[in-house]
Amino acid sequence: MTATAAPTVLTARALLLDMDGTLVNSDAVVERIWRRWAERHGLDADEVMKVVHGRQGHASMAILLPDRPMEQNLADNVRMLAEETADMDGVVAIPGAPAFLAALRDLPHALVTSADVPLSTARMAAAGLGLPDVRVTAESVGASKPDPEGFLKGAAELGVAPADCIVFEDSGAGIAAGKAAGMRVVGVGARAAAHGPDAVVEDLTRVRIEAGEDGTIRLSVW
């Protein structure tokens, strides 16, 4: 699947937005930190990178080190989050993200991220982006993407039925979570294309948002 060529029009009552890879390009720091982690554990870094996008760190570790006790994964995840939060080198906005968020300012939307509060706050600030009023972070859920819990919580906080929400995601885990929540998914970037989103865009410059008179959000994506 390649970037949607002709404009596709979708309507929703709320948008649920992933952060990393969707609003913020943090690939440089994610690569640095997870490749160092792979080296410490004697794992193939390229294979590790196929797993980690979209998931909470401890969930990735559980896949990559299946025999390690979860307590160790959770403790390791705390260290990794601190390392990520201290490293903002190369963190920038996805093209079109500032205008995209500005267009949503008075419309129902939420951030749904596998990052915790300190990391999401730091990365959005580093990218020059304002935080949505409604945020579902790692602290808010008991299960990481691809579990749909985060997206379902976001919809509930906005008071919108899951079927009336559209998710913006870049990763396989995130796209699976949105679909499991019963939502339509717009994939952002090349990583998304392989995971069957309802539409895919190169970046957020390829999205136009209009407010409908009946309270709906009209999206044109191409």
Side-chain angles (χ1 to χ4, degrees), residues 151-214:
F151 287 124
L152 292 173
K153 283 198 168 186
E157 285 203 41
L158 294 170
V160 177
D164 291 328
C165 295
I166 291 177
V167 166
F168 278 73
E169 264 285 1
D170 73 299
S171 70
I175 290 167
K179 288 187 168 292
M183 301 172 183
R184 291 157 292 159
V185 181
V186 174
V188 179
R191 193 158 48 226
H195 301 287
D198 296 282
V200 61
V201 294
E202 180 181 352
D203 56 40
L204 296 173
T205 66
R206 301 287 188 157
V207 182
R208 186 170 68 249
I209 295 170
E210 299 170 291
E213 292 182 3
D214 58 352

Side-chain angles (χ1 to χ4, degrees), residues 113 119 125 146 154 172 180 213:
T113 176
L119 181 57
E213 292 182 3

